[in-house]
Amino acid sequence: MNQPDRRLSLTLLLAYSLAFSLTLAAVLPGAGTGQLVRVLGAGVIGAGLVFAIGRRFERRVETRSELLTDEVSTARAVADRAEDDRRLLEQVLAVVRQGVVLVGEDDVIAYTNPAANELIRPSDRLSSLVPHGLQTLVRQARVEQRVTEGDLEYGSPVRMLRAAAVLFPADKRVLLTITDVTTSNRMEAIRRDFVAAASHELKTPVASIIASTEALGLALAHDPASAERFATQVERSARQLAKLVSDLLDLSRVESSTMEAESVDVGQMVEVEVARARAVAADVEVDLSVEADRVAVMGSRPDLALAVRNLLDNALRHTSRGGSISVTVSASNGRCHITVADTGEGIPRRELPRIFERFYRVDSARSRTTGGTGLGLAIVKHVVEGHRGEVSVESELGVGSRFRIDLPA
Ligand code: ADP
């Protein structure tokens, strides 16, 4: 009770007490002045008593109402907190990538979060939940009273979903969680294929080194004239192995490197790489020319140099004597263009979409004998895409190939 209210009620109480004693004095028959004074005196004492009792009563009411006020505000705080918690939970469920579906004991779908609506067909009853495998998981969780899990395929294009159903024994509700594992499954398959392919690629030169070394040993004992042939074979296979390991390390480095970007003068960098390739070009009698503008690109100098080196290496390996290779660097529309064109053997049209894949070669035997690993273009693609660029190729069998890298300048 606030201060003015309290004062008002005290005044009223006092007034009632006085009125009561005055009325008593007035109604007493044949009352003299002395009696009137006594009655008034008694009235004042009575009023005082009533006032005192009233005051105590009022204090009790005040304490009780203060308690009530406390209880009300506590209840309100609890309700506010529950509302905050509910809102927070809803916000979390709205942004998580995992689908969440709550199925009631009566098989009514009590809640579906936005991610679930995107992964499965929205439904309000368990019996119409699609994919059907989800219904099985929920029923199984109820019967077996444990968490049930399963992989399901759904949608177009097909996505791989990993679902789990958890039973709440208290109210028999079942919580379904659905995770899209399409990408992670695909990455895992790529990783497995890569390990298998890399092991296979490593096995070939290793087997050749072992066989040639054994043959070399026998030749040294029985046929020294043929020893040199086997020694050459050992050396060739060892070089092939070394190149393979070096390309694998390059690929792993460009894949895992958190690029430290610097301003790279692409024209100058390309000229350095062309200068390095001149000795080999002279060896195979291929004309090598370069026309490089000064274009600056933000990126990793060693990685960009590695990409250009791989394109040059390919051009040199696939261009026969008397052919030519021309390299250019130019800029237009805020892009930097690097081209490496050769007059070599060219690539069949149907092979073009696959040549950037790891270990893909148009002619495996030829690639190996010329020192290829099938990783060169995969490294180029990775570096270029890591720089937000694109790599493309035009080629005609027997005429030549032209690789082009476009980067943001
Ligand atoms: P490799 O180590 O075998 O050269 P790459 O990934 O560098 O592997 O290239 C993949 C395939 O693309 C090669 O096996 C080759 O058949 C073809 N290729 C690449 N560059 C050229 C080119 N300049 N001329 C002809 N074919 C090429």
Side-chain angles (χ1 to χ4, degrees):
M1 201 183 288
N2 59 30
Q3 214 55 34
D5 286 351
R6 191 178 301 155
R7 226 173 284 133
L8 185 69
S9 61
L10 284 176
T11 316
L12 275 174
L13 209 58
L14 198 58
Y16 284 145
S17 312
L18 272 170
F20 166 74
S21 37
L22 283 172
T23 313
L24 200 67
V27 296
L28 277 177
T33 313
Q35 204 170 3
L36 194 65
V37 169
R38 272 200 302 278
V39 168
L40 270 175
V44 170
I45 293 167
L49 268 172
V50 172
F51 176 75
I53 293 166
R55 187 73 189 91
R56 272 192 70 179
F57 171 74
E58 191 191 42
R59 245 186 242 126
R60 284 230 307 263
V61 169
E62 271 170 21
T63 317
R64 181 82 197 116
S65 89
E66 268 161 22
L67 279 174
L68 272 175
T69 315
D70 277 358
E71 275 165 28
V72 167
S73 55
T74 309
R76 195 173 297 150
V78 169
D80 285 350
R81 224 183 23 242
E83 176 60 18
D84 283 352
D85 287 352
R86 194 193 59 77
R87 221 174 288 145
L88 181 70
L89 195 65
E90 202 147 280
Q91 280 171 353
V92 171
L93 287 169
V95 295
V96 287
R97 298 245 202 92
Q98 207 172 31
V100 175
V101 177
L102 188 64
V103 187
E105 190 185 4
D106 50 3
D107 281 357
V108 169
I109 308 271
Y111 176 79
T112 310
N113 78 336
N117 281 329
E118 281 179 19
L119 293 173
I120 59 171
R121 179 160 5 116
S123 147
D124 49 12
R125 295 205 65 83
L126 179 66
S127 53
S128 48
L129 201 59
V130 173
H132 290 282
L134 294 173
Q135 301 181 22
T136 317
L137 284 182
V138 171
R139 297 200 176 101
Q140 225 176 328
R142 279 187 186 141
V143 173
E144 297 173 15
Q145 307 247 325
R146 62 171 183 94
V147 179
T148 52
E149 287 174 292
D151 284 344
L152 313 157
E153 286 183 0
Y154 182 65
S156 162
V158 174
R159 308 204 68 79
M160 279 298 300
L161 306 177
R162 181 154 301 154
V166 186
L167 173 74
F168 297 133
D171 54 12
K172 301 277 188 298
R173 287 197 281 187
V174 175
L175 185 77
L176 263 177
T177 57
I178 305 151
T179 314
D180 186 346
V181 291
T182 318
T183 311
S184 55
N185 273 17
R186 196 180 297 142
M187 299 305 283
E188 179 56 24
I190 289 173
R191 194 194 62 78
R192 261 198 320 264
D193 290 353
F194 179 73
V195 172
S199 317
H200 179 77
E201 293 291 332
L202 287 166
K203 236 166 72 181
T204 311
V206 168
S208 169
I209 289 171
I210 292 170
S212 306
T213 319
E214 280 169 8
L216 179 62
L218 286 174
L220 284 173
H222 307 290
D223 180 13
S226 63
E228 198 185 331
R229 190 157 48 88
F230 294 119
T232 309
Q233 180 61 39
V234 172
E235 191 199 338
R236 194 182 299 142
S237 298
R239 284 192 191 285
Q240 165 86 26
L241 191 61
K243 175 80 170 93
L244 192 59
V245 171
S246 150
D247 277 4
L248 281 170
L249 287 173
D250 279 342
L251 186 64
S252 129
R253 188 177 55 78
V254 298
E255 275 186 350
S256 59
S257 82
T258 42
M259 191 176 68
E260 280 187 23
E262 54 176 320
S263 178
V264 182
D265 180 340
V266 176
Q268 192 240 349
M269 178 270 287
V270 165
E271 275 173 356
V272 170
E273 292 307 317
V274 169
R276 277 189 184 165
R278 285 215 185 278
V280 181
D283 241 18
V284 293
E285 292 172 31
V286 167
D287 180 61
L288 180 58
S289 64
V290 59
E291 233 174 83
D293 292 343
R294 291 278 174 273
V295 188
V297 156
M298 284 305 287
S300 156
R301 191 190 160 89
D303 287 3
L304 289 170
L306 177 66
V308 171
R309 206 176 309 143
N310 281 352
L311 290 184
L312 277 171
D313 178 56
N314 277 351
L316 285 165
R317 284 192 298 112
H318 295 283
T319 305
S320 36
R321 231 166 265 277
S324 65
I325 298 170
S326 65
V327 184
T328 67
V329 178
S330 60
S332 68
N333 302 325
R335 311 278 290 173
C336 167
H337 318 290
I338 309 169
T339 64
V340 178
D342 63 59
T343 59
E345 69 204 37
I347 305 162
R349 183 181 292 270
R350 67 188 149 79
E351 304 281 358
L352 288 178
R354 299 204 60 187
I355 57 169
F356 291 95
E357 289 174 21
R358 296 159 177 184
F359 296 120
Y360 190 82
R361 295 131 154 164
V362 175
D363 179 345
S364 294
R366 202 191 121 79
S367 164
R368 272 198 202 97
T369 50
T370 60
T373 60
L375 289 175
L377 290 179
I379 294 172
V380 172
K381 187 170 159 49
H382 209 92
V383 168
V384 172
E385 289 181 352
H387 283 76
R388 292 180 294 119
E390 298 104 45
V391 55
S392 57
V393 56
E394 290 165 11
S395 187
E396 203 175 320
L397 261 186
V399 178
S401 310
R402 184 170 176 271
F403 285 84
R404 175 179 160 133
I405 293 175
D406 284 300
L407 299 165

